[in-house]
Amino acid sequence: MKKLIFLSISIGMLSAFGCTKEKFDGTHSFWYNTETSDDLLAYGVAELTLFVDGAEIATIDAYDHYTADPGCGTGNFVYTDKMFKRENKTHSYRIVDEADSLIFEGTFQMQQKESCSSTKLDLTF
C-alpha cells in the first residue's frame, strides 16, 4: 500500500513539473537573390518545394526573390518549429523543382539564443 501511495505521489509530481516547460516559436528563413532566380529560370525551373526533415513545408514560384536578406521571419520559405527555451535542434532540408530534381540541400540549426535565423540559397551547378 505504501508503494502505491508513493507511486501515485511521484506520478503527480512528474506531471505537475512536466507541464511547466514553456515553448516558443523558432523560425528559420530560406531566401535567394535575383541572380539565383535568373539562373533557376534559365535552367527551366518554375517551382521549388521545401522539405524539412522529410516533411513537405511549402511550394513557391522560382521567380520570387529578394535583393537582400529579407530579415527575421520572412523569405522565400519560412520554417517554424515549437522549441523549449533551452533546446537546440538540427534539421536537414532539401529543395526540389517540379520534376523532383534536387536543387538545394543542407542542414541548419535552430537555437534558443536565436529565435530566428536565415539561410541564403546559392546555386552551384
Side-chain angles (χ1 to χ4, degrees):
M1 183 67 170
K2 286 182 182 180
K3 287 182 182 180
L4 183 61
I5 292 171
F6 177 74
L7 182 60
S8 297
I9 291 171
S10 297
I11 291 172
M13 289 179 68
L14 279 174
S15 61
F17 287 116
C19 295
T20 61
K21 287 190 174 185
E22 223 178 290
K23 283 193 167 189
F24 70 98
D25 285 337
T27 60
H28 191 88
S29 302
F30 298 87
W31 67 281
Y32 53 86
N33 61 16
T34 306
E35 183 179 301
T36 298
S37 176
D38 290 345
D39 287 345
L40 289 168
L41 295 173
Y43 282 102
V45 175
E47 288 184 342
L48 297 172
T49 302
L50 169 68
F51 293 85
V52 175
D53 298 332
E56 184 175 332
I57 304 303
T59 299
I60 62 163
D61 292 323
Y63 64 81
D64 289 339
H65 63 276
Y66 292 84
T67 56
D69 188 339
C72 192
T74 59
N76 295 97
F77 297 104
V78 178
Y79 175 71
T80 303
D81 195 4
K82 290 246 184 244
M83 298 175 62
F84 291 111
K85 289 292 183 188
R86 291 198 166 101
E87 185 175 22
N88 295 325
K89 290 183 176 181
T90 300
H91 298 284
S92 63
Y93 72 90
R94 67 185 181 92
I95 298 174
V96 299
D97 67 8
E98 61 274 10
D100 206 31
S101 297
L102 182 65
I103 306 296
F104 304 102
E105 73 176 331
T107 60
F108 63 97
Q109 187 170 33
M110 298 178 75
Q111 300 177 345
Q112 160 215 358
K113 295 176 189 174
E114 302 170 5
S115 63
C116 182
S117 56
S118 69
T119 297
K120 181 181 179 203
L121 302 168
D122 288 309
L123 284 177
T124 55
F125 287 127

